[in-house]
Amino acid sequence: MSPQRDTRCLVVGATGYIGGRLVPALLAAGHRVRCLARSPAKPRAHGWAGQVEVVRGDILDPESVAEAMRDVDIAYHLVHSIGGGADFEELDRRAARIFGERARAAGVRRVVHLSGLTPAGVPERELSPHLRSRAEVGRLLLASGVPTAVLRAAVVIGSGSASFEMLRHLTERLPVMVTPRWVRTRVQPIAIADVVRLLVGCADLPADVNRSFDIGGPDVVTYEEMMRSYARRAGLPRRLILPVPVLTPGLSSLWIGLVTPVPGDLARPLAESLRHEVVCHERDIERYVPPPAGGWLGLDPALAAALERAGEDQPDQAALPADSLRADPDWAGASRYVDERSTPVDASPEALWRVVEAVGGDTGWYSAPLAWTVRGWLDRLFGGAGGRRGRPHPTRLERGDPVDFWRVEALDRGRLLRLRAELRLPGDAWLELRVERDDEGRTRYRQRAVFRPRGLLGHAYWWGISPFHAWVFGGMTRTIAERAGAESGSAGERPPRSQDLERA
């Protein structure tokens, strides 16, 4: 099979979890991409927005779908109405029919759909509404008259995937779990990298291929084994998991909603889908899209990749190179606690920056000196460096410099200082200090303390110290602003006013 390039691909669902990762992969493979979106502003938030064509429309509107299908070679159907209310099955049914009809009328060469893997030998009426709807959508597209490839996956392992986020938060937050029986159900997870690779590869399938394919990684495991594997990869203590028979799918979804940030209307279909074993019964896709040289990603490397992406969840979101993270739901990602404060400063940005860059060492932390000292003592008590390291230069910092029990992780002189804690903590902590101008041209100081907990102890640590934040971080914000104002005045500087900026 010789790959075809310079094809136009329509992606419906480009701003979703899968679509947001598929679009840049299609572009990298040399395809042209068009996106159908109800709000064109959403695709524009991605780094790839300038490389794609965006058509405003709705998948339930036949006319806008017809317009989006014009001159399209490959049409990707990546949307479903899960969590969209009680009538989501009817909405999915209507959308699939419109999609297939308009694709056929436009002469689209191929339709590609990502679906859910259904258990073998289980009557469709006994499936969860979620899986039943996914199976029906696949059938409707296969019957559309357009050659269609339906990829059927079970649990997708990738940071931002609903299944992975449920796994992540259950495992991190509960060292002891009383769980539903479905944690003993066998599943065949697949890495998000393999899902995207196969979706891209389906653009080059022969014209006579019109069928579904089971897709999954090389490992068949139980959900309990996935949780234990996640705990090992995340450096968590061994989890005690106690399955009980009394947790129905409804109760399971309430339990998931209580422990994790996954919304309840999404948690229920996920829990219901795990009642039956879902493993691949064929690997025919390999005849058309061969695996890479290293083979399919197994569970452990898939978890490692997902955790590495989660590790990119730094305080400065704008600095992230992975634009595809913007396709993730708001509740996705590693748990983070943030204490954010800002205040206008009666000083020039230069004066404020001098105060910011002098933080730590002999200067101190501008608030609650006893609290900072005690925290350093406690760290030394448990074998850490404490606050005894000081800083190499009294007024100037460079990236990588130690600053008491912090280290300079990022430095944009005059604008940003980000410190990462090197304390012994049940998690990771950052302190970010910024110098900005507001809309009126005034100097503004912005400060963020960010903590990413590790396990239940990490969450308890944050909530244990949070009552002191107003004293420590609030005082730090006020003192930095006051000192910058005082130093600016003593140096004869006057902060620029908005009318000065307008004249300039």
Side-chain angles (χ1 to χ4, degrees), residues 434-473:
R434 284 184 177 272
V435 176
E436 301 175 346
R437 288 194 190 276
D438 61 22
D439 293 339
E440 298 179 6
R442 297 176 303 177
T443 303
R444 176 167 288 273
Y445 172 64
R446 191 177 302 277
Q447 174 183 298
R448 292 208 304 168
V450 180
F451 181 68
R452 189 170 63 207
R454 189 181 307 116
L456 187 62
L457 183 60
H459 292 275
Y461 171 82
W462 174 267
W463 289 111
I465 65 171
S466 59
F468 302 100
H469 287 170
W471 173 41
V472 176
F473 294 129

Side-chain angles (χ1 to χ4, degrees), residues 87-98:
D87 60 344
F88 78 90
E89 289 183 84
E90 174 58 26
L91 293 176
D92 280 346
R93 188 178 302 121
R94 284 173 50 201
R97 285 175 176 152
I98 291 170

Side-chain angles (χ1 to χ4, degrees), residues 54-84:
V54 179
V55 175
R56 181 191 294 273
D58 191 299
I59 195 169
L60 293 171
D61 174 23
E63 291 185 5
S64 63
V65 174
E67 175 62 23
M69 291 284 186
R70 184 170 46 83
D71 299 326
V72 162
D73 300 294
I74 313 295
Y76 285 90
H77 182 283
L78 302 177
V79 293
H80 54 84
S81 303
I82 182 173

Side-chain angles (χ1 to χ4, degrees), residues 142-154:
L142 286 167
S144 67
V146 180
T148 297
V150 176
L151 303 184
R152 308 193 315 156

